Amino acid sequence: MGTLLQQELSWLNFTIFSVWGIIMLLLVLGFVTYAIYFERKVIASMQMRVGPNRVGPMGLLQSVADVTKLLLKEDTIPAAAERDLFIMAPIITFVPSFVVLAVMPFTDKLYFADLNIGVLYYVALSGISTIGIVLGGWASNNKYALLGGMRSAAQMISYEVPLVISILGTVMMTESMNLRRIVALQDGGFWHWNFLPQIIGFVVFVIAAISELNRTPFDLPEAESELVAGYHVEYSGFRFAFFMLAEYVYVFAIATLTTVLFLGGWHPPFNFLEFIPGIIWFLLKFSFVVFFLFWLRATMPRLRIDQLMGLGWKVLLPLSLINIFVTVLYIKFFMG
């Protein structure tokens, strides 16, 4: 796939790109459908419940039934809503969540775009989704939705800062924003993976990423006990599904980015395991990160809004800045 990017654009290449894009979209939609199912199963198991078990064998078709229900539900738009913005908001939220996957390398040969500014590309586009969420809350003309949208803007902007700074340590060590190069420099066993020398940045990144996803314990923008579902309270049917789809696509993106930046990408933890295909190692690490997100949701209570903002500005931001100085010392004394 990557070699096609070096060729002159033609109708054949355009067709190949389009087919690969459609295949990727279908894979992501499949992931979203069954990530919801496995999240329910994981949480149910941890909380000593049964989980989905009625629709299909072992409940495997429960998510399919839920998606079908959402698509068939009536699409309602409040009479007092800003109609055009109300319609556009879910699209603005979803499209960046899918487009950021273009720079994600799954193996040394399986990727879409090999950009030298892959890290910057992800950060720039993922921030656009915040606009969609704020617009959805404001255009609904509902005070609960507006509060949810404002909370989301404050939260996502606040945690975007330490998240970006936490990645800078990895960029400084590898001297590159190219995601494929970052993975390539982690070859040689797990002791070469970035999460070890970048342990502070890794911890900050994971916490900030969970907040960026609006997932427990940072799910304040859609805290149903306070805001009646928050910014998407007035949405129904497929428009509501777009917001949910964007959330789970970002789970896919964050799990991929964590694997690439800190966990060695497609490289095995030990050199003698190199005979196993790289895509297997990538999927194992990716699955562990996704499971970790589900695990947190099953065990952690929701923070208050003041605790949420305090953690971002008073703890994570200073730690991410400290990580920059620690990285400079590490490069000077250990990398020469």
Side-chain angles (χ1 to χ4, degrees), residues 8 17 41 91 101 108 123 170 178 191 225 280 299 316 336:
E8 185 178 351
F17 286 140
K41 278 294 191 182
I91 301 172
L101 301 179
D108 57 341
V123 171
T170 299
N178 184 300
W191 52 91
S225 59
I280 301 298
T299 56
L316 296 187

Side-chain angles (χ1 to χ4, degrees), residues 103-331:
V103 293
M104 298 296 179
F106 303 101
T107 70
D108 57 341
K109 299 288 177 63
L110 183 59
Y111 59 91
F112 285 89
D114 188 22
L115 297 184
N116 289 329
I117 54 169
V119 173
L120 185 61
Y121 175 90
Y122 177 89
V123 171
L125 283 182
S126 63
I128 297 176
S129 292
T130 307
I131 299 174
I133 290 175
V134 173
L135 282 179
W138 181 78
S140 297
N141 197 24
N142 178 300
K143 61 182 180 181
Y144 294 112
L146 179 60
L147 283 173
M150 293 298 101
R151 276 188 178 184
S152 183
Q155 175 176 332
M156 297 177 80
I157 292 172
S158 298
Y159 279 80
E160 189 84 22
V161 177
L163 183 138
V164 173
I165 297 177
S166 68
I167 298 176
L168 282 181
T170 299
V171 172
M172 291 166 62
M173 285 179 53
T174 57
E175 299 181 352
S176 175
M177 288 195 205
N178 184 300
L179 293 174
R180 285 182 67 243
R181 174 172 169 78
I182 290 174
V183 177
L185 294 175
Q186 297 179 74
D187 191 13
F190 76 90
W191 52 91
H192 291 286
W193 296 356
N194 288 332
F195 84 94
L196 289 174
Q198 284 293 309
I199 188 64
I200 299 175
F202 176 63
V203 172
V204 172
F205 176 85
V206 169
I207 296 174
I210 294 170
S211 180
E212 282 283 288
L213 294 172
N214 290 336
R215 290 182 62 85
T216 307
F218 305 114
D219 57 338
L220 271 298
E222 48 189 84
E224 67 278 356
S225 59
E226 305 166 37
L227 298 179
V228 202
Y231 61 88
H232 51 56
V233 65
E234 295 289 359
Y235 283 87
S236 64
F238 73 96
R239 300 190 202 283
F240 174 82
F242 261 93
F243 279 120
M244 293 298 97
L245 180 61
E247 177 180 325
Y248 278 91
V249 174
Y250 270 124
V251 169
F252 184 99
I254 284 294
T256 302
L257 191 64
T258 305
T259 302
V260 167
L261 290 177
F262 297 101
L263 301 180
W266 54 84
H267 296 304
F270 301 101
N271 290 336
F272 66 86
L273 295 173
E274 288 183 346
F275 66 93
I276 299 176
I279 189 64
I280 301 298
W281 290 115
F282 185 93
L283 290 175
L284 286 173
K285 298 170 189 178
F286 171 88
S287 300
F288 172 77
V289 176
V290 173
F291 171 78
F292 177 74
L293 295 175
F294 296 167
W295 183 8
L296 281 183
R297 182 171 181 179
T299 56
M300 297 290 288
R302 178 181 294 137
L303 298 179
R304 296 196 314 265
I305 188 66
D306 59 308
Q307 294 172 327
L308 174 79
M309 301 303 290
L311 177 65
W313 291 109
K314 297 179 182 178
V315 179
L316 296 187
L317 181 58
L319 279 178
S320 62
L321 292 173
I322 289 172
N323 182 61
I324 297 295
F325 292 102
V326 172
T327 301
V328 171
L329 295 176
Y330 178 84
I331 294 173

Side-chain angles (χ1 to χ4, degrees), residues 45-123:
S45 177
M46 291 182 174
Q47 297 176 348
M48 300 182 70
R49 296 184 288 106
V50 176
N53 67 340
R54 298 284 181 175
V55 185
M58 298 184 294
L60 284 169
L61 298 179
Q62 181 64 59
S63 294
V64 176
D66 291 341
V67 171
T68 303
K69 179 189 72 172
L70 281 175
L71 295 178
L72 295 178
K73 273 193 169 185
E74 181 183 2
D75 175 36
T76 60
I77 300 178
E82 290 285 345
R83 186 180 179 87
D84 293 338
L85 294 179
F86 187 88
I87 293 172
M88 290 173 56
I91 301 172
I92 295 173
T93 302
F94 168 73
V95 171
S97 72
F98 181 70
V99 175
V100 295
L101 301 179
V103 293
M104 298 296 179
F106 303 101
T107 70
D108 57 341
K109 299 288 177 63
L110 183 59
Y111 59 91
F112 285 89
D114 188 22
L115 297 184
N116 289 329
I117 54 169
V119 173
L120 185 61
Y121 175 90
Y122 177 89
V123 171

